[in-house]
Amino acid sequence: MAAALGGMVMNAACVSSSIRSDTDRVRELSRMEHLADVPESEVDPVSSPEVGAMLSKPLTAKSAVKLALLNNRELRAKLRMMGVSRGRLKQAGLLPNPEAEIELLPEQDSDIELRLEYDITGALLAPMRSRAFEPALDAARYETAIAVVELGYMVRVQFYRVQAQEARLAIAQQMLDAYAAGREAAIALRKAGNVRELDLAQHEVAYEKARILVAELELGRMNAREALHRLLGLYGPETAWSVQGYLDPVPAGTVSVPEHIETQALKHSLELTQRRHELESLARRAGVKDTAGWLPDVAVDVHALKSDAESTPVRESWRFGAGVRFSVPIFDRSQGEVLELESKFSAQLERYYGLAVDVRSMARQARAELESAHARAAQYLRVIVPAQRRVTDQVMLQYNAMQVGVFDVLRASRERLQVELDSVDAQLAYWKAHAALRALLAGVAVAQPSEEVATSVSFSDERVEEH
């Protein structure tokens, strides 16, 4: 018995209190090496010096993800929360404490009674409880790895949005400069009596609308940057960073999508593996409860009585004894708790199969989104935008030859602006789809958010030329 108890004590002591191994496992599962080193650091509201060094250079999508992994407070909290699961595992494996009792004048002819009692059933069940919580710790590691991949996806998408907003603003600013030049020329020509008042008014309307568009895009850029600040955990002077370039052009040729993407998504799914560990933990906990329900609650005790010195010879002043206390599991065999855990297991199993269906569906959707976005963006970049620029150039030539009026020039300018903005949107859709596929193959199926910023900017409802 002593040897068995010793072994149990050693097993409980083997569960470390450090989450170092857990964070290493999360790095391995998420394939992200640059996680914050939270096990060796205290909670500090100030960002690490490494963050400042990274912000001193123009950010790329890759460096933004790296920065978020170091500085995102929610992710740091999730890393630290693995200590909760580790604590539960450690607590479940601990042996119950012995209970001691000292009683003065317990019975006639006795001065003191000493009693030491130990819960045998609790000690026997401790290893089973510990085993039941081991899958829960694995599930917590997978849950944190999912959070890492999700954060990487969100940062990439938001960084692409910032790049898209920068590109939209640059396009609109160029158009505003062109409208400003046209307006100044129209004012000079009107003073010379060479254009009608109507032509001048149309130039002024186009210029003022372009100014409004630029103001809207500046607000959109600020909102996109603030959303990224929240993901990167930046504030104060840290928000004065710059972006390295605009969105990259989509790759030439056909887009590359892994073959058998559904199988790949299921194979690498961190979410499905997390659910499996949760199911295993529930099954083990139900088994522990079922076993505990049938086991009698056994406790053994040893006691010693010190006799009254006046009525007992000195050599017999201490008397020793032992006893056993146990319950008879007739009525309460933890049937309710077992039923609760078994019901949770069945519900989780239903959700597990449902998640597998979702992962397959989202894999097909991710492939379709990527291929479609690639085709649209390529069509804009290689066909539509160059063609629209030729249209604008031809209209300007005809305007200079006095073959078309100012309305035609303004219409062509607006159409060119709209096409170039649509081209940016198409590139953004491609890179968002690319980030979603990347997250899927890293183990997390993400639902792509709809793009609501600045894509609504359109001059298609212009009716100026109809006057």
Side-chain angles (χ1 to χ4, degrees):
M1 175 66 73
L5 288 175
M8 295 176 189
V9 171
M10 289 301 296
N11 288 335
C14 287
V15 179
S16 170
S17 299
S18 173
I19 61 171
R20 165 65 64 189
S21 60
D22 303 321
T23 54
D24 290 342
R25 180 61 174 154
V26 170
R27 285 190 182 94
E28 180 184 351
L29 293 173
S30 63
R31 288 172 269 180
M32 297 283 191
E33 294 295 327
H34 303 289
L35 287 182
D37 197 14
V38 295
E40 305 300 333
S41 62
E42 299 292 332
V43 177
D44 188 346
V46 180
S47 302
S48 68
E50 190 176 357
V51 171
M54 295 173 65
L55 291 173
S56 63
K57 303 176 183 176
L59 283 183
T60 63
K62 184 177 180 180
S63 63
V65 171
K66 182 179 177 181
L67 198 156
L69 295 180
L70 291 175
N71 211 41
N72 182 275
R73 293 293 171 174
E74 183 58 32
L75 180 61
R76 295 173 69 96
K78 285 186 179 297
L79 289 170
R80 293 184 186 278
M81 283 297 288
M82 286 192 295
V84 175
S85 297
R86 177 161 288 279
R88 288 172 180 163
L89 171 62
K90 190 175 184 65
Q91 183 64 39
L94 295 178
L95 296 175
N97 293 321
E99 295 181 3
E101 179 181 349
I102 301 175
E103 189 173 350
L104 301 178
L105 301 177
E107 58 185 59
Q108 190 176 6
D109 301 334
S110 298
D111 289 335
I112 300 174
E113 179 180 1
L114 303 178
R115 182 182 295 274
L116 188 64
E117 185 174 299
Y118 195 72
D119 181 4
I120 296 297
T121 303
L124 292 175
L125 290 176
M128 291 184 65
R129 287 198 302 268
S130 179
R131 285 191 67 249
F133 278 91
E134 287 174 356
L137 178 59
D138 286 329
R141 292 167 173 168
Y142 274 87
E143 182 181 1
T144 308
I146 291 169
V148 171
V149 176
E150 285 180 336
L151 178 63
Y153 164 74
M154 290 190 293
V155 169
R156 285 184 183 279
V157 168
Q158 196 56 43
F159 184 81
Y160 296 147
R161 283 175 173 160
V162 171
Q163 286 185 309
Q165 285 299 109
E166 295 281 357
R168 291 185 185 115
L169 184 58
I171 293 170
Q173 188 64 55
Q174 289 177 1
M175 195 60 64
L176 177 62
D177 295 340
Y179 281 145
R183 173 174 168 271
E184 293 301 321
I187 291 173
L189 291 172
R190 178 58 186 161
K191 287 180 180 178
N194 293 333
V195 296
R196 298 173 300 170
E197 181 65 26
L198 178 59
D199 295 340
L200 174 59
Q202 295 300 334
H203 278 290
E204 289 179 338
V205 169
Y207 171 72
E208 295 300 332
K209 285 201 170 186
R211 288 184 61 192
I212 291 175
L213 174 60
V214 169
E216 290 176 348
L217 292 176
E218 286 177 341
L219 178 62
R221 180 182 63 173
M222 188 204 72
N223 289 339
R225 286 177 65 94
E226 289 302 328
L228 189 56
H229 291 159
R230 291 191 285 275
L231 291 173
L232 301 182
L234 303 178
Y235 65 96
E238 295 173 340
T239 59
W241 46 270
S242 60
V243 180
Q244 186 176 28
Y246 302 136
L247 288 169
D248 291 334
V250 298
T254 57
V255 66
S256 175
V257 179
E259 197 174 359
H260 308 301
I261 190 169
E262 290 182 44
T263 305
Q264 293 289 321
L266 289 174
K267 178 182 177 183
H268 297 292
S269 176
L270 297 175
E271 294 162 303
L272 286 173
T273 310
Q274 180 209 2
R275 294 287 177 89
R276 285 199 294 271
H277 284 298
E278 289 177 347
L279 284 168
E280 186 177 356
S281 179
L282 280 172
R284 289 187 182 183
R285 287 162 59 192
V288 171
K289 283 294 179 184
D290 189 48
T291 303
W294 286 101
L295 280 179
D297 183 12
V298 178
V300 296
D301 74 273
V302 294
H303 54 269
L305 280 171
K306 185 176 186 301
S307 302
D308 184 357
E310 296 179 357
S311 58
T312 307
V314 174
R315 60 185 178 84
E316 298 179 356
S317 61
W318 281 97
R319 291 173 295 165
F320 298 93
V324 176
R325 176 184 59 79
F326 59 90
S327 65
V328 181
I330 298 177
F331 304 110
D332 181 2
R333 299 192 300 276
S334 304
Q335 299 97 319
E337 292 175 297
V338 172
L339 176 61
E340 177 187 346
L341 291 170
E342 288 178 345
S343 298
K344 287 182 177 178
F345 179 88
S346 300
Q348 284 287 69
L349 191 58
E350 294 280 3
R351 294 190 179 103
Y352 174 81
Y353 291 128
L355 179 60
V357 173
D358 291 346
V359 169
R360 286 179 176 275
S361 172
M362 295 177 82
R364 295 191 298 271
Q365 184 179 357
R367 178 178 55 195
E369 292 274 1
L370 185 68
E371 292 174 345
S372 174
H374 180 268
R376 284 181 281 126
Q379 189 72 4
Y380 267 107
L381 284 175
R382 286 152 200 151
V383 179
I384 300 177
V385 171
Q388 187 62 48
R389 287 175 180 167
R390 290 198 301 273
V391 169
T392 307
D393 294 341
Q394 288 299 316
V395 170
M396 285 303 301
L397 289 175
Q398 293 185 12
Y399 176 73
N400 294 335
M402 301 183 68
Q403 294 177 348
V404 297
V406 66
F407 303 128
D408 300 298
V409 174
L410 293 176
R411 185 191 304 113
S413 299
R414 284 193 293 271
E415 289 173 352
R416 175 179 172 179
L417 172 62
Q418 188 61 54
V419 163
E420 293 190 356
L421 292 177
D422 290 345
S423 176
V424 174
D425 291 344
Q427 290 182 70
L428 176 59
Y430 168 78
W431 287 111
K432 285 169 53 184
H434 186 271
L437 183 68
R438 184 188 183 115
L440 179 74
L441 296 177
V444 180
V446 294
Q448 296 187 44
S450 60
E451 190 60 30
E452 71 285 354
V453 181
T455 51
S456 60
V457 173
S458 172
F459 279 2
S460 60
D461 58 348
E462 288 286 341
R463 295 291 184 271
V464 175
E465 62 274 22
E466 296 179 359
H467 290 286

